[in-house]
Amino acid sequence: LKLRDKALLLLGFAAALRRSELVGLRVEHVQMLQDRLIIALPYSKTDQIGEGRYVVVPKGQRKGTCPLRALQRWLSRAGIESGPVFRTITPNGRVRTGQVGADHVNDAVKDLARRCGLNAGQYAGHSLRRGWVTAARQRGIPTEEIMRVTGHRDARTLRVYDAAGAHASVVRV
């Protein structure tokens, strides 16, 4: 898995981000501390006026699946110090200045599903967010805490995720 896509998938899952939040992420929105990431989301689908919110992502327990380490590696290797975090890459491996599109998130999730022997048609970019909610529910995390991470304002919306979770595979980080 390429460094960029590994960081994209791990961070998207660990922060329960929407595709638009993930591809719109800028270096200026991310504060990397020794034991966690703090992500500032200036706006989202349910926050069109731009009140913003913060998502804290703890350091992963395993080096190979830690979103903080994966993001640090990607930014360092790509030489990215400002602007879009997840950028397009030319066929010869040159990192460009423009951000990846939302379709790239879908493609990366489907590619990972295929690599894991799963039916890629059942997965898309939103699977990262749904998977996190499902895993949080299975671990007994209270609804209020889940809503704080996801930015949901209505607990009824989480029931949709629960129904999907009954049939979804859970990715463990």
Side-chain angles (χ1 to χ4, degrees):
L1 204 55
K2 296 177 186 173
L3 284 177
R4 177 199 59 199
D5 290 351
K6 182 175 182 176
L8 181 140
L9 292 167
L10 289 171
L11 186 60
F13 176 79
L17 298 176
R18 293 179 177 93
R19 290 182 315 161
S20 60
E21 294 165 343
L22 196 51
V23 301
L25 194 61
R26 299 179 61 81
V27 173
E28 296 81 8
H29 299 156
V30 180
Q31 182 180 6
M32 287 191 231
L33 304 174
Q34 189 172 355
D35 62 341
R36 66 188 177 278
L37 292 169
I38 301 173
I39 301 170
L41 297 172
Y43 61 88
S44 70
K45 182 175 116 177
T46 57
D47 177 24
Q48 297 295 311
I49 59 172
E51 290 177 0
R53 66 184 176 92
Y54 292 92
V55 178
V56 177
V57 178
K59 187 175 189 177
Q61 295 175 355
R62 298 180 197 105
K63 284 184 181 183
T65 58
C66 174
L68 187 143
R69 290 180 182 112
L71 184 60
Q72 287 173 326
R73 261 183 266 139
W74 159 242
L75 293 174
S76 175
R77 185 84 44 91
I80 298 172
E81 296 179 4
S82 64
V85 169
F86 299 111
R87 301 177 181 201
T88 58
I89 301 173
T90 64
N92 67 353
R94 197 176 114 248
V95 178
R96 304 182 103 179
T97 58
Q99 70 188 38
V100 297
D103 285 344
H104 181 78
V105 178
N106 280 338
D107 294 342
V109 169
K110 287 179 182 299
D111 182 55
L112 179 60
R114 266 190 291 287
R115 288 173 183 243
C116 293
L118 301 171
N119 178 354
Q122 294 180 342
Y123 298 87
H126 204 64
S127 298
L128 299 171
R129 186 170 168 83
R130 281 182 170 233
W132 186 89
V133 171
T134 301
R137 284 289 202 201
Q138 289 176 345
R139 290 183 178 190
I141 296 174
T143 299
E144 297 77 26
E145 180 63 25
I146 293 172
M147 291 173 63
R148 197 172 8 266
V149 172
T150 64
H152 283 105
R153 295 180 184 193
D154 187 341
R156 292 176 294 185
T157 307
L158 292 179
R159 291 189 193 122
V160 174
Y161 289 82
D162 287 343
H167 305 289
S169 297
V170 177
V171 179
R172 304 218 186 268
V173 176

